[in-house]
Amino acid sequence: SAHQQAVAVNNATMIPATVDVTQEERWQRAENLLQTTQVFFDTARSTIKTSHKRELQLLAQHLKSLEEMPCITIRGLADPRGNAAYNRKLSRRRCEAVFSQLKSLGVDTSNFKLDERGATEADLNNSDALRQARRVEFSVERSMEVAA
């Protein structure tokens, strides 16, 4: 049935407790989620939407399964409306909202960095482009070593 297929798809992204999964497989899953997860925001807002909270819960589950936490950058972006200082502060609040959400879900955030980029290029006459610009995204460095 359609419901069974939906459950199967949802369960495919979960880490089964009864299956022995290697750290490499856990890393690959977490890295894939980090590369594909984006959190979008309403204009001038830094509140995480319910749909994105579910995505962050899944990401947190995968990150918590890792033996060592990679260096993760949370990059905040804004649409080009507003001045540069405002957009940088807004980007920072968006980064902090995602950081706090992951931390509250039990993720070790000690290797996380926040990168508030401010405004990104977007066509002011294209509402979809503006919506896509208001986001937080992730980048990851696999090396656990910290430069002295």
Side-chain angles (χ1 to χ4, degrees), residues 14-137:
M14 305 299 274
I15 299 173
T18 57
V19 176
D20 186 26
V21 179
T22 68
Q23 273 301 302
E24 183 62 26
E25 290 169 321
R26 290 173 196 262
W27 165 255
Q28 291 296 326
R29 290 177 183 173
E31 184 178 38
N32 183 52
L33 278 173
L34 285 164
Q35 291 173 349
T36 59
T37 299
Q38 294 183 332
V39 180
F40 296 97
F41 295 87
D42 290 332
T43 302
R45 300 277 188 238
S46 58
T47 304
I48 300 172
K49 298 176 184 181
T50 302
S51 60
H52 291 304
K53 286 183 179 180
R54 286 191 291 272
E55 289 178 64
L56 292 173
Q57 286 173 337
L58 179 61
L59 178 59
Q61 176 191 2
H62 285 277
L63 290 174
K64 291 189 303 186
S65 76
L66 300 175
E67 289 177 2
E68 291 185 76
M69 187 60 61
C71 295
I72 295 172
T73 299
I74 300 174
R75 183 172 301 108
L77 301 154
D79 69 35
R81 297 176 292 182
N83 67 47
Y86 174 81
N87 282 334
R88 189 169 287 287
K89 288 178 186 174
L90 178 59
S91 295
R92 179 73 180 193
R93 288 196 314 270
R94 290 172 175 168
C95 288
E96 289 169 347
V98 170
F99 176 89
S100 295
Q101 181 70 22
L102 290 171
K103 189 172 186 171
S104 75
L105 292 168
V107 174
D108 172 9
T109 55
S110 60
N111 284 341
F112 281 45
K113 296 184 286 186
L114 305 184
D115 177 16
E116 66 274 2
R117 289 287 172 97
T120 186
E121 295 291 323
D123 180 353
L124 292 173
N125 298 315
N126 182 329
S127 61
D128 190 52
L130 292 172
R131 192 172 22 260
Q132 294 290 319
R134 299 187 300 266
R135 70 183 186 276
V136 162
E137 59 191 18

